[in-house]
Amino acid sequence: MTDRKATLSVGDKSIELPVYSGTVGPDVIDVRSLVQHGVFTYDPGFVSTASCESAITYIDGENGVLLHRGYPIEQLAEHSDYLEVCYLLLKGELPTAEENRQFHETIKNHTMLHDQMRNFFHGFRRDAHPMAIMCGVVGALSAFYHDQMDVTDEHQREITAHRLVAKMPTIAAWCYKYSIGQPFVYPRNDLSYAENFLQMMFGVPCETYEPNPILAKAMDRIFILHADHEQNASTSTVRLAGSSGANPYACIASGIAALWGPAHGGANEAVLEMLAEIGDESNIEKFIAKAKDKDDPFRLMGFGHRVYKNFDPRAKVMAETAHEVLGELGLENDPLLKIAQRLEKIALEDEYFVERKLYPNVDFYSGIILKAMGIPTSMFTVIFAMSRTIGWFSHWNEMVSGDYRIGRPRQLYTGSTARDYPQK
């Protein structure tokens, strides 16, 4: 923070506004006093507005930097696991060995769903989208834990965090099992977080599921790389919902609903749809030409990023993981995955893409990995939501832990002025 001021001229009036500096990143101008002068800022999409103060995640899109509590995402993906990253996001510091052990044990002890929730799943149509089911089930958790939702109680908030992180894989896997008509598979406390999710997805009661360590590691990395991404649409939705004092389960459900939009959480699903549209390696040159034609509506999905004007720091980790998974499963010659690998090579070498910094992003590689593992595209955003839950909760928890007010954005009104109702 500094004592610097910015001066805004509005007509013949000059307004002094405080300028603040964070630990890193651009300075911000405090415009809260503008309402006293009868004017507001106008910023559709809030792309130039800092809606909050946060110490959780920092992104430098120009230089391809993503930090969680100061730690680079690449280092966390290499040395940590998802539950340790959850602890870091929630608590602010990496756990000691004992704290890490206790946190892992606590999460394992909360993985079961209340048995009545089985009936809740059966209330949905079998062909319902898994995100629709997840949104409903997560919101319904508030009906099962209504006695421990005092948002002012730090201990109750911590218990809620444990429940959400622990139960989301069970909810996600059951969404899938219900959609294909297979019996629900219960969590196993002898498995890691990622292994447990895979066994609930692909295990069946008549056989013992043996997790593949390479696939489990890949899944854990996907969880880490999607755990948080600063003030995006869904995180901002969770914060805005929480600003009214709404219970945390309702707030997380609102984040799931926002993530469901194709402009947000559906990017890796769009990658697979694009690969299917291209259809064959022989068609790649034609589609590359379409992508370069500014008058053609076709766009290469999974290349470039709205935030990162350089290489997505998560993409390098995902690229390495993708090649490990394809090698393990022997899928190097899968037709769609061959198209993806060829597109990757073109994007990294073609002058058109290099000049515009249209590098493959995390969605490009995560879509390939999930497809190779046999996960249907309808589950991609569900897995994203499951991973992002800790980020949403950490931001919600940070907000309700301090002084906050209910969100109330203003508008530029362009409708009719006051008029009388016509006489009949």
Side-chain angles (χ1 to χ4, degrees):
M1 299 293 183
T2 72
D3 294 326
R4 290 178 299 141
K5 302 282 186 181
T7 303
L8 174 67
S9 296
V10 182
D12 59 356
K13 186 187 305 182
S14 291
I15 306 170
E16 283 199 339
L17 302 169
V19 178
Y20 300 138
S21 297
T23 49
V24 289
D27 292 342
V28 298
I29 300 172
D30 186 345
V31 298
R32 285 176 289 184
S33 65
L34 287 181
V35 65
Q36 301 167 15
H37 300 279
V39 292
F40 312 124
T41 57
Y42 181 61
D43 183 20
F46 309 112
V47 294
S48 296
T49 299
S51 62
C52 64
E53 180 181 327
S54 180
I56 298 172
T57 295
Y58 172 70
I59 297 173
D60 180 349
E62 293 296 330
N63 296 304
V65 172
L66 171 59
L67 307 177
H68 290 327
R69 302 289 192 179
Y71 294 99
I73 188 64
E74 304 94 321
Q75 294 181 21
L76 291 172
E78 181 180 358
H79 301 296
S80 189
D81 65 24
Y82 178 68
L83 287 185
E84 187 177 54
V85 172
C86 288
Y87 187 100
L88 172 67
L89 291 172
L90 193 61
K91 300 283 192 176
E93 298 291 342
L94 287 170
T96 64
E98 178 58 21
E99 287 169 339
N100 199 28
R101 185 196 66 78
Q102 289 181 2
F103 188 72
H104 278 68
E105 284 299 312
T106 299
I107 297 303
K108 285 181 179 180
N109 290 335
H110 283 286
T111 53
M112 293 282 289
L113 296 181
H114 192 289
D115 196 54
Q116 283 182 258
M117 296 204 79
R118 293 172 57 90
N119 300 329
F120 202 85
F121 277 88
H122 288 287
F124 291 96
R125 286 173 52 122
R126 288 281 181 183
D127 59 354
H129 194 288
M131 280 293 279
I133 300 175
M134 173 178 261
C135 191
V137 171
V138 171
L141 288 173
S142 58
F144 291 85
Y145 303 110
H146 54 83
D147 58 331
Q148 290 186 316
M149 291 192 301
D150 181 355
V151 300
T152 65
D153 187 317
E154 182 180 358
H155 180 61
Q156 290 190 28
R157 295 200 306 268
E158 183 175 48
I159 291 173
T160 301
H162 296 159
R163 284 175 172 154
L164 280 165
V165 171
K167 297 180 190 305
M168 287 300 278
T170 311
I171 292 171
W174 283 21
C175 288
Y176 172 64
K177 286 296 193 184
Y178 183 71
S179 71
I180 61 173
Q182 287 189 1
F184 297 140
V185 175
Y186 286 93
R188 277 172 47 190
N189 289 354
D190 62 313
L191 299 177
S192 72
Y193 192 84
E195 289 172 339
N196 189 39
F197 173 65
L198 290 174
Q199 76 92 18
M200 288 190 290
M201 280 282 293
F202 298 118
V204 289
C206 51
E207 296 177 4
T208 300
Y209 180 83
E210 296 296 336
N212 181 313
I214 292 178
L215 301 189
K217 179 64 176 176
M219 185 59 67
D220 193 73
R221 281 181 176 168
I222 287 176
F223 295 162
I224 291 173
L225 296 178
H226 290 88
D228 190 49
H229 210 239
E230 207 219 68
Q231 305 307 318
N232 51 77
S234 57
T235 301
S236 298
T237 298
V238 171
R239 277 186 175 263
L240 191 58
S243 74
S244 72
N247 75 75
Y249 300 108
C251 295
I252 298 303
S254 74
I256 294 169
L259 186 73
W260 193 0
H264 191 3
N268 51 12
E269 188 171 344
V271 169
L272 269 295
E273 292 170 355
M274 175 196 70
L275 296 178
E277 182 181 357
I278 294 173
D280 189 88
E281 279 189 272
S282 62
N283 296 326
I284 288 178
E285 293 301 327
K286 179 179 72 175
F287 279 92
I288 290 291
K290 285 165 65 70
K292 293 178 179 179
D293 183 356
K294 67 178 187 298
D295 296 322
D296 194 298
F298 176 79
R299 294 289 179 269
L300 283 179
M301 305 304 296
F303 293 84
H305 196 280
R306 181 183 177 187
V307 172
Y308 299 107
K309 308 309 178 189
N310 207 312
F311 204 81
D312 182 342
R314 302 167 297 171
K316 183 179 179 181
V317 179
M318 276 288 89
E320 294 171 356
T321 305
H323 292 297
E324 290 171 5
V325 169
L326 296 182
E328 174 67 16
L329 297 176
L331 291 174
E332 299 94 332
N333 295 316
D334 179 273
L336 283 188
L337 299 176
K338 290 277 281 186
I339 295 171
Q341 290 174 312
R342 177 81 182 281
L343 285 175
E344 175 194 26
K345 189 173 189 301
I346 291 171
L348 294 175
E349 297 176 357
D350 190 298
E351 188 176 325
Y352 176 89
F353 294 99
V354 173
E355 278 185 359
R356 291 164 176 77
K357 298 181 179 178
L358 296 176
Y359 303 114
N361 60 34
V362 68
D363 298 307
F364 180 78
Y365 294 112
S366 63
I368 294 170
I369 293 169
L370 295 173
K371 163 74 167 58
M373 292 172 70
I375 294 172
T377 55
S378 62
M379 283 294 295
F380 286 7
T381 315
V382 170
I383 291 172
F384 192 161
M386 183 182 86
S387 310
R388 183 57 57 84
T389 293
I390 186 57
W392 289 331
F393 189 91
S394 297
H395 282 274
W396 172 87
N397 188 55
E398 180 181 61
M399 181 186 69
V400 300
S401 298
D403 295 326
Y404 67 99
R405 336 175 25 176
I406 185 169
R408 180 55 173 92
R410 306 308 292 252
Q411 64 176 14
L412 174 64
Y413 178 68
T414 56
S416 300
T417 56
R419 49 183 170 172
D420 294 325
Y421 187 83
Q423 299 296 318
K424 294 183 179 179

